[in-house]
Amino acid sequence: MLRPLSLTSRLIVFFTVAAALVVAGLAAWVMMATERHFIELDRVSLQDKQRLISDILADAESAEEGRRRLHEALSHHHGLFTAISDADGAVFFQSPGFRPPHQASTLLSAFLDTDPARSLRHWRDGEQSFRGLGFQATPAFDAASRLDVLIAMDIVHHTQFMRDLGRSLLRYAATAIALCGLLSWLAAHRALAPLRTMRSRAAIVTSQQLDERMPVASVPAEMAALAMALNGMLDRLQDAFTRLSEFSSDLAHELRTPLSNLMMQTQVALSARRGADDYRDILASNAEELQRLARMVSDMLFLAKTERALDLPHRERFSAAAEVRALIEFYEVLADEKHIALKPIGEGEIFGDRLMFRRAVSNLLTNALEHTGEHGEITIAIERSAQTTRVVVENTGENIDPHILPRLFDRFYRADPSRAHPGSDGAGLGLGLAIARAIVQAHGGTIEAESGGGRTRFGLSFPAVPQIPPGERQPARP
């Protein structure tokens, strides 16, 4: 299979063909214009001789006088030939060395065409070329008869000039086309130089060097958009690679602690003979660490599914306020231990997966309980509008640095890395907020965080509940 031509080759072919067409058209126009000019000059000269011959014949009192005067008037004109015959074909006058064509009668009848633009005819006689004009004249010495007159010019010098002009134009066209091909190569090579620069810079990009960017200011406007698009792609790749590297490091760190605990406890148990109660305690501790690992793996699998467009298996219309109240009852004991007040506010409905919604709000509540001090307050407000149903979890406590807020939903990210809460069922593992964001995005909503004035707010915005078509059964409310 033939490889397609490169962009440089295509531009060279295009410009060379275009130049060839332009030069060839110009050469053809010059040839035709020159040929028309010569024809017009010959026409004027022959018509002038036509008037001269007509005047001589109209004034001649005898045939001899007519021949004499014609010889005197036409003999000194180089390259001009005349043949005059009567109606019977007898030669009345003929220039020396001139041989009229064999089809003289037919040719003469064609000469008598009424269209002046077609009154000239061209023929060849060996190496000679002629352009002639035919007409009929009435002599004064025999007014009852008409003479057929054929005037011809030897145009060999015209033909030779046109031949030389054609060769010159051909050489010029070949030189011009070759020059245009060379110039088109130079222009294409120079015009595509930014692409080669971009290619060389792209070749430098590796997993260890992702900060290379395409030049935008130094490239033509037509390539600036491409350069900006490539820079945007490299920015996204660098950001994704950075996050992936941090995620791998954080995941290894999170897995190392429970695995180290398991290995240490197992080695301690094997170091000496112990009683059944000791082994039972060690196994119970190992079970807790294994449960922690299982929760982490489960959360990671859930987040991996969200990257491939998480599907909501059970969509239904449910009351967000009822689900929030159920969660408050579950977390009320933990909140009472820290003397934290839990307050639900507002009403609203959501169309989605009930269990996933509960998990997202549960992760936010867990995060709020971890970062709310003694005698603090947590408010879960439900705000309803025509476009969205918004659930806002707000807690009192220290403000979060504005530079940290955009990264709170990254996996394993903690504003304070030293604060870890293994018993928080996923939220303390650095995955809780990431899971909450994945759930909201799966519902077509958004999540945002803000902090200030001693309060931190996490808002979940869900699309408005769609209208139930007439006749369709509405899911039962809890």
Side-chain angles (χ1 to χ4, degrees):
M1 182 177 179
L2 296 177
R3 294 181 59 185
L5 291 175
S6 65
L7 185 57
T8 301
S9 300
R10 295 181 186 184
L11 290 174
I12 292 173
V13 171
F14 173 78
F15 286 120
T16 303
V17 171
L21 293 176
V22 171
V23 172
L26 178 61
W29 179 82
V30 170
M31 291 290 291
M32 289 187 294
T34 304
E35 180 69 17
R36 286 196 300 268
H37 175 69
F38 283 146
I39 291 175
E40 188 61 28
L41 289 178
D42 293 342
R43 184 193 309 279
V44 172
S45 179
L46 290 172
Q47 288 176 348
D48 181 64
K49 299 305 181 288
Q50 176 186 357
R51 288 190 293 270
L52 176 62
I53 294 173
S54 298
D55 292 342
I56 291 174
L57 292 177
D59 293 338
E61 296 181 356
S62 64
E64 290 299 330
E65 182 183 354
R67 292 188 185 95
R68 179 180 58 79
R69 292 181 60 183
L70 287 172
H71 178 74
E72 292 176 354
L74 301 177
S75 61
H76 63 277
H77 290 281
H78 177 71
L80 179 67
F81 302 93
T82 306
I84 303 175
S85 59
D86 56 19
D88 297 329
V91 176
F92 175 79
F93 176 84
Q94 185 169 322
S95 299
F98 178 56
R99 294 183 303 174
H102 297 296
Q103 306 85 1
S105 60
T106 305
L107 189 63
L108 185 59
S109 63
F111 284 140
L112 300 177
D113 196 315
T114 56
D115 185 1
R118 301 175 55 191
S119 60
L120 297 184
R121 291 295 183 268
H122 175 265
W123 74 91
R124 295 183 62 84
D125 184 9
E127 296 298 326
Q128 290 182 303
S129 294
F130 296 95
R131 185 171 289 123
L133 173 66
F135 63 96
Q136 290 182 331
T138 303
F141 53 83
D142 188 3
S145 64
R146 287 182 177 274
L147 298 177
D148 295 332
V149 183
L150 174 61
I151 313 172
M153 293 183 64
D154 186 357
I155 59 171
V156 64
H157 57 289
H158 292 174
T159 305
Q160 184 63 38
F161 178 84
M162 294 298 297
R163 189 180 299 114
D164 294 341
L165 178 62
R167 293 195 187 100
S168 299
L169 288 176
L170 182 61
R171 287 193 294 269
Y172 169 78
T175 304
I177 291 172
L179 182 60
C180 288
L182 177 61
L183 293 177
S184 64
W185 178 84
L186 292 174
H189 189 268
R190 186 175 182 83
L192 297 178
L195 283 181
R196 292 191 295 275
T197 302
M198 294 166 66
R199 181 190 63 184
S200 61
R201 293 202 178 186
I204 299 175
V205 176
T206 62
S207 57
Q208 289 78 29
Q209 186 174 349
L210 287 171
D211 56 350
E212 191 69 30
R213 293 297 181 267
M214 302 298 132
V216 177
S218 60
V219 300
E222 294 80 2
M223 297 183 186
L226 174 62
M228 288 188 291
L230 290 175
N231 287 341
M233 179 191 69
L234 290 174
D235 289 338
R236 293 189 296 272
L237 286 176
Q238 185 176 17
D239 181 68
F241 189 82
T242 302
R243 290 175 182 270
L244 180 61
S245 299
E246 294 176 354
F247 167 70
S248 301
S249 176
D250 293 337
L251 180 61
H253 177 76
E254 295 292 339
L255 291 175
R256 182 178 60 184
T257 301
L259 289 176
S260 297
N261 292 339
L262 288 171
M263 291 177 61
M264 182 183 65
Q265 292 175 8
T266 303
Q267 289 172 355
V268 170
L270 295 175
S271 64
R273 186 180 297 275
R274 303 178 185 278
D277 291 339
D278 294 333
Y279 285 121
R280 189 177 293 108
D281 292 340
I282 292 173
L283 290 175
S285 177
N286 288 351
E288 292 180 0
E289 296 295 340
L290 291 172
Q291 288 177 359
R292 182 184 178 192
L293 287 173
R295 288 195 301 270
M296 184 183 301
V297 171
S298 176
D299 290 342
M300 291 304 304
L301 289 175
F302 177 83
L303 289 173
K305 290 180 181 179
T306 62
E307 293 180 352
R308 301 191 300 270
L310 176 66
D311 186 27
L312 301 178
H314 305 291
R315 282 185 177 270
E316 59 179 327
R317 184 197 297 260
F318 60 88
S319 171
E323 298 300 323
V324 168
R325 286 193 293 268
L327 288 172
I328 288 178
E329 291 179 3
F330 178 79
Y331 284 98
E332 198 166 17
V333 176
L334 181 60
D336 290 341
E337 291 179 359
K338 298 179 66 175
H339 306 286
I340 297 174
L342 299 177
K343 297 181 180 180
I345 301 174
E347 294 284 345
E349 289 186 334
I350 292 176
F351 183 75
D353 189 285
R354 184 196 304 268
L355 295 180
M356 288 189 179
F357 169 79
R358 181 176 292 188
R359 184 174 185 181
V361 179
S362 174
N363 288 350
L364 294 183
L365 278 173
T366 301
N367 181 76
L369 287 169
E370 290 175 0
H371 297 90
T372 302
E374 294 281 344
H375 305 285
E377 179 182 86
I378 298 176
T379 303
I380 303 96
I382 302 173
E383 303 169 356
R384 186 176 176 183
S385 67
Q387 289 78 26
T388 60
T389 298
R390 194 162 182 262
V391 180
V392 180
V393 179
E394 180 180 303
N395 66 281
T396 58
E398 296 180 3
N399 294 334
I400 301 176
D401 188 343
H403 297 90
I404 296 177
L405 286 175
R407 298 205 58 193
L408 287 179
F409 302 101
D410 292 349
R411 302 174 186 181
F412 295 119
Y413 182 80
R414 295 191 185 92
D416 183 1
S418 64
R419 298 177 63 184
H421 302 272
S424 59
D425 193 22
L429 299 176
L431 296 175
L433 295 180
I435 291 174
R437 179 179 63 177
I439 292 174
V440 175
Q441 290 177 345
H443 284 78
T446 58
I447 185 172
E448 68 278 348
E450 57 182 18
S451 182
R455 289 182 174 272
T456 300
R457 289 169 291 278
F458 289 88
L460 309 177
S461 299
F462 295 88
V465 178
Q467 297 295 324
I468 302 296
E472 182 176 330
R473 184 177 66 84
Q474 181 176 342
R477 299 192 179 188

